[in-house]
Amino acid sequence: MNVSAAPAITGLTNQTVPVGANPVLAATVAGSPTPTLQWYLSTDGGATSNIISGATSSSYSLSNVQYSQNGYKYYLMA
């Protein structure tokens, strides 16, 4: 008997990080069959978002965060 379960994403929270930090956004993802993942970035407060090319795992690392990124929103879709 095949049992399927809708994808569930947990563990992501809003974060405030200092300039120059290297945060890792990490989630726990469950579902059956195993869901495919894709990270998205919104630079306009969530009005629109774009795929982050190659970002298809349950975590996403940022490098050297700058003040100009204030208000950026990152989304994980399963």
Side-chain angles (χ1 to χ4, degrees):
M1 177 172 154
N2 288 338
V3 176
S4 61
I9 300 172
T10 58
L12 291 176
T13 59
N14 289 334
Q15 296 183 35
T16 300
V17 297
V19 169
N22 301 308
V24 176
L25 309 176
T28 300
V29 180
S32 179
T34 302
T36 57
L37 304 175
Q38 180 63 61
W39 285 92
Y40 291 80
L41 169 61
S42 174
T43 59
D44 58 11
T48 63
S49 61
N50 294 299
I51 288 174
I52 301 172
S53 181
T56 58
S57 71
S58 61
S59 65
Y60 183 69
S61 299
L62 300 168
S63 295
N64 193 23
V65 171
Q66 296 299 304
Y67 185 76
S68 60
Q69 293 171 283
N70 186 37
Y72 280 17
K73 294 182 182 235
Y74 294 84
Y75 302 94
L76 178 61
M77 185 176 292

